[in-house]
Amino acid sequence: MTLPVDTVPLAAPGTLPGPLDDAGRAGLLATVRAAVARARELHRPVLASWAAPLGACDPVAVWSRARRGTPRSFLWQSAWDDGLVVALGTAQDLRGRGERRMASVRAAWARTAAGTVTGGTAVAGLPSGEGPLAVGGFAFSPDLGHEQRRLPDALLWVPALQIRAAGRGGPAELRLNATLLHDSDPDQVADALGHLAERSLRGVPADGLVPVLPQPRAGTRSRVELPGAEEWKDLVRRATGHIREGGFEKLVLARELRVTATAPFDIPGAVGRLRESNPGTTVFAFDHEEHTFLGATPEYLVRVEDGTVHALGLAGTAPRGATPEEDLALERDLVGSAKIQHEHDVVVRMLRDAVGRACAEVDVETPPSVVKLTNVQHLSTKVRGHLADGADAGILDLVELLHPTPALGGHPRRAALDWLAGHEGLDRSWYAGAVGWADARGQGQFGVAIRSALVEGATASLYAGCGLVADSDPEAEYAETVAKLRPMSNALGIE
């Protein structure tokens, strides 16, 4: 168990927020004691998970105020079910490396979830999973020898403090988690969890509507494109030439904009701007030591809820118009483009076939719809599958099956990924990877980590990519990346 510890004295019994009054503290201690007893019986670590209703609050405000008190935090505001998840601190890490990184994490989570001791009062009817969650994500690809890779290949973790809520001001659940050993001190662990809850929730009013005041925006000191614009366009020409020669059918080529500011970036302020300016997207932020990975993605990789699997094909892009008439004309061009339809169809075929390997039946939305975002519009196709009764597949199985889709790497997958490894020239880190959460029942949500940035202090790496087919135009593809970078540039205050 890793909990933030500082010199602030523990509150006296009965003075903690509502969920941890005297009765709540007693229930938490009883749950921890039961987990220690189970650990002694099983001769292995056991997760204790205690829950209580939290009442109406804004979990984003809690995250904004409490994130600096721990080296690990997570924020998830879903556009797909309006659920909010906040995670602070660490009860248990679930890590993986290399080609089997997802399988390693999945196996570790299954072992942990199977032996969990639960207590308290769970809140029914919330949109975001059940019980303790494993939150985090996966890099786009395994570590290929990047000595200074800034985020792990694969990291999910069970948070020490978890909040799930049905939107801002809606009903919420507080959950405290800890991993116990046979010789853990129950009183010490329960006190540490109570301390974390008191510090995280201190000062949150009953309505939970806490304003998050942004810091002044930092000025831009330098900005570097990796690779440079002309070099990247030449890569597009080489990739499309390889496609025409039959090397692969589609390739997704990414680039990085690295910006250094005059002062550290304001992460809560950036999240606030992402929430306000990008309706229809899922906003996420992941703090890991000195790094923050954040974004506003319009695309889910996979969602699993009550035996139904949802995947989304989002491929094919056009700009937004300055007037309604221009916007409609651009939409018509998007829908009518044979090049874009082909790019989109490659993604949908793969999703249909992959979901079909795990599900008894699969439905594909036809024709594609158009998703309109602040700066761009995309072709979109929903793929839905239904797991057979008694099926063992869960959300992490589907993540491993689907990632990376042709919308992220290319098709055929292996040929495209091999070409990228030899030619793209950058470490995508978690850009175009998968970020989200899983519960113990195999439910969960993982978004495609696009429209994202990796921030360390006053330095930010912003990423964007484009799907290429045989007749892709380098100038048009570069312009598309510029449009895709704009939401994150605006959020971080980059001029």
Side-chain angles (χ1 to χ4, degrees), residues 204-253:
V204 177
D207 64 9
L209 305 183
V210 181
V212 179
L213 300 177
Q215 303 169 8
R217 297 196 183 194
T220 300
R221 179 173 293 161
S222 66
R223 48 190 298 150
V224 179
E225 297 185 32
L226 302 171
E230 294 309 315
E231 183 181 354
W232 190 84
K233 293 173 192 176
D234 184 59
L235 271 177
V236 173
R237 296 183 186 97
R238 291 163 62 189
T240 54
H242 198 53
I243 293 172
R244 288 191 292 272
E245 292 169 358
F248 33 74
E249 190 174 0
K250 176 182 176 178
L251 184 83
V252 180
L253 188 64

Side-chain angles (χ1 to χ4, degrees), residues 44-180:
R44 62 176 175 81
V46 169
L47 179 68
S49 184
W50 177 87
L54 186 57
C57 74
D58 182 2
V60 179
V62 175
W63 169 82
S64 298
R65 292 158 56 112
R67 57 184 285 271
R68 289 195 177 277
T70 174
R72 183 83 58 70
S73 75
F74 179 84
L75 168 68
W76 180 264
Q77 177 183 303
S78 174
W80 310 309
D81 64 4
D82 295 325
L84 274 160
V85 175
V86 165
L88 300 166
T90 304
Q92 184 168 337
D93 273 0
L94 311 165
R95 290 177 179 259
R97 292 194 63 184
E99 293 290 348
R100 289 189 52 77
R101 66 197 188 284
M102 295 180 182
S104 297
V105 168
R106 183 179 69 247
W109 177 225
R111 288 193 300 269
T112 297
T116 300
V117 172
T118 59
T121 303
V123 177
L126 292 177
S128 300
E130 297 179 13
L133 305 182
V135 303
F138 303 92
F140 170 73
S141 62
D143 188 355
L144 300 176
H146 300 279
E147 295 182 0
Q148 297 182 347
R149 173 166 266 192
R150 293 167 284 178
L151 294 178
D153 275 12
L155 173 61
L156 296 190
W157 76 96
V158 183
L161 182 150
Q162 169 189 307
I163 297 173
R164 296 187 299 121
R168 182 180 183 183
E173 176 192 271
L174 170 69
R175 186 170 289 273
L176 300 175
N177 305 306
T179 298
L180 285 306

Side-chain angles (χ1 to χ4, degrees), residues 222-444:
S222 66
R223 48 190 298 150
V224 179
E225 297 185 32
L226 302 171
E230 294 309 315
E231 183 181 354
W232 190 84
K233 293 173 192 176
D234 184 59
L235 271 177
V236 173
R237 296 183 186 97
R238 291 163 62 189
T240 54
H242 198 53
I243 293 172
R244 288 191 292 272
E245 292 169 358
F248 33 74
E249 190 174 0
K250 176 182 176 178
L251 184 83
V252 180
L253 188 64
R255 68 185 188 91
E256 175 185 349
L257 174 64
R258 188 170 298 175
V259 178
T260 301
T262 55
F265 288 102
D266 172 16
I267 299 299
V271 166
R273 288 185 282 273
L274 286 173
R275 295 174 78 197
E276 293 171 4
S277 303
N278 297 274
T281 66
T282 289
V283 175
F284 61 88
F286 160 43
D287 289 317
H288 177 65
E289 299 172 350
E290 69 273 20
H291 296 102
T292 301
F293 184 63
L294 72 162
T297 179
E299 182 176 2
Y300 52 86
L301 176 66
V302 63
R303 300 185 289 122
V304 178
E305 182 179 2
D306 295 330
T308 300
V309 176
H310 304 266
L312 181 67
L314 199 71
T317 305
R320 297 297 305 274
T323 65
E325 293 77 16
E326 183 184 5
D327 198 59
L328 181 59
L330 289 167
E331 177 185 338
R332 288 171 178 156
D333 291 343
L334 176 69
V335 172
S337 167
K339 176 258 184 188
I340 289 176
Q341 285 286 355
H342 173 59
E343 177 188 345
H344 186 77
D345 288 346
V346 170
V347 176
V348 173
R349 291 200 311 268
M350 179 270 181
L351 292 177
R352 179 197 62 207
D353 294 345
V355 171
R357 291 200 292 273
C359 294
E361 54 183 280
V362 179
D363 300 314
V364 178
E365 175 188 47
T366 54
S369 59
V370 175
V371 172
K372 292 181 179 290
L373 304 173
T374 304
N375 296 291
V376 294
Q377 46 191 323
H378 299 288
L379 283 185
S380 171
T381 295
K382 296 177 181 178
V383 178
R384 183 181 296 108
H386 302 280
L387 295 170
D389 293 341
D392 293 331
I395 182 69
L396 295 179
D397 298 277
L398 271 300
V399 170
E400 184 174 16
L401 188 63
L402 293 170
H403 177 77
T405 74
L408 307 173
H411 183 77
R413 178 188 286 177
R414 189 70 267 159
L417 296 182
D418 287 346
W419 195 93
L420 290 172
H423 296 85
E424 191 171 51
L426 61 88
D427 178 16
R428 294 190 184 188
S429 186
W430 281 25
Y431 166 71
V435 175
W437 57 266
D439 73 7
R441 291 181 52 205
Q443 301 183 113

